[in-house]
Amino acid sequence: MIALSARFPIAGRHHLRHAPSALKNLILLLLAMSLACGSALAQTSPADARRNGELLQSALADFDTKKYDDALKKLTELNDRNPGDPFVLNLFGAAYTRKKDYAKAKEYFDQSLEKVPDFFPAKFNLGELMFLQRQYAEALEFFNKMIEKDPRNELLQFKVFLCLLQLGKKEEAQKALGRVKYPGDTPAWYYSQAAWESKQGNNKKAVEYLTGAKYIFGPKTALFDE
């Protein structure tokens, strides 16, 4: 569940016309983020912004088709054009995570956080690296520290619950399950319920929750599907 958060320049909006629907929704989310945070990618000329937009859209399309080496080539050019941008560094880490090169991924997430210490996607992804390597106790401690500062974050609620579930802490997992917001702004509640039912061997019920989530949230389920 690696967070592919990045900056997509405003000048690149015209490229959305040919983007697949799922990718288009992701890019629109990145566009919204660009209004809230500063980044080197935004501080460019219109021509540079268009090229940055093309590179970023193409890299995200490579993620969508699992062409991670191709994505890395485009991110390298993007990084050459905008050295040290935390959004691009996070995407590097995401690509290496997908390639299961966790040591390299951590390097890039750490670099991203050196630029912006509270950059949520990179920080979240560090915890996710622990989870992917089955370091559930360490991941739980990490996500618990994050959720102390953001107790209403549904993604963090979900991850804390999953860690407890994987650690076999049934009572604590049930309590964490009860804290996942319903109805929420994300599919977290539905996926938490599905994970719980799956753990109990109720696969049919789990599928029902997942189906409901996809019906209600559509492309927003992509992050949770991982």
Side-chain angles (χ1 to χ4, degrees):
M1 190 193 297
I2 290 295
L4 296 180
S5 185
R7 161 87 50 179
F8 195 87
I10 298 298
R13 289 189 184 203
H14 67 281
H15 297 296
L16 293 178
R17 288 177 298 179
H18 305 297
S21 58
L23 176 60
K24 187 180 294 184
N25 285 318
L26 176 58
I27 293 173
L28 288 172
L29 172 62
L30 305 183
L31 283 168
M33 289 182 61
S34 72
L35 300 177
C37 302
S39 168
L41 295 184
Q43 301 166 12
T44 59
S45 68
D48 284 339
R50 281 194 295 273
R51 179 56 182 161
N52 290 342
E54 291 169 354
L55 286 169
L56 183 53
Q57 179 184 323
S58 185
L60 290 173
D62 289 334
F63 270 97
D64 199 42
T65 55
K66 301 182 180 181
K67 298 177 181 177
Y68 305 124
D69 288 331
D70 290 341
L72 285 168
K73 291 178 183 177
K74 286 148 192 174
L75 291 173
T76 297
E77 181 179 345
L78 196 56
N79 190 55
D80 289 342
R81 296 168 62 85
N82 308 275
D85 188 284
F87 297 93
V88 177
L89 293 171
N90 180 64
L91 283 176
F92 268 110
Y96 280 111
T97 300
R98 299 285 177 84
K99 288 168 62 67
K100 298 186 178 181
D101 188 342
Y102 298 134
K104 196 75 172 177
K106 185 178 184 302
E107 288 180 17
Y108 278 103
F109 294 141
D110 285 339
Q111 288 178 40
S112 179
L113 290 170
E114 286 176 7
K115 300 293 182 179
V116 182
D118 290 325
F119 184 39
F120 179 88
K123 186 172 286 187
F124 174 86
N125 287 341
L126 279 178
E128 187 66 6
L129 284 181
M130 301 174 197
F131 189 90
L132 290 172
Q133 295 174 85
R134 301 180 185 274
Q135 299 169 357
Y136 300 124
E138 293 85 349
L140 176 61
E141 181 180 1
F142 188 90
F143 288 126
N144 270 329
K145 288 181 180 178
M146 288 188 71
I147 208 170
E148 285 177 4
K149 297 181 179 180
D150 192 6
R152 296 184 179 180
N153 188 299
E154 297 173 23
L155 182 58
L156 293 177
Q157 291 173 354
F158 177 58
K159 291 306 299 188
V160 167
F161 163 71
L162 281 185
C163 288
L164 290 168
L165 200 62
Q166 292 294 342
L167 288 168
K169 298 185 177 183
K170 187 173 182 179
E171 290 186 7
E172 291 182 54
Q174 281 184 305
K175 291 179 181 178
L177 181 61
R179 290 192 291 269
V180 179
K181 183 180 177 182
Y182 175 84
D185 298 320
T186 73
W189 183 86
Y190 289 87
Y191 275 74
S192 297
Q193 297 292 334
W196 177 261
E197 295 296 342
S198 179
K199 195 71 171 179
Q200 312 311 311
N202 302 325
N203 292 330
K204 182 178 180 181
K205 189 67 175 178
V207 170
E208 290 176 2
Y209 279 116
L210 295 179
T211 302
K214 293 180 184 299
Y215 177 77
I216 295 170
F217 291 97
K220 284 187 178 182
T221 62
L223 181 61
F224 291 82
D225 282 335
E226 294 188 30

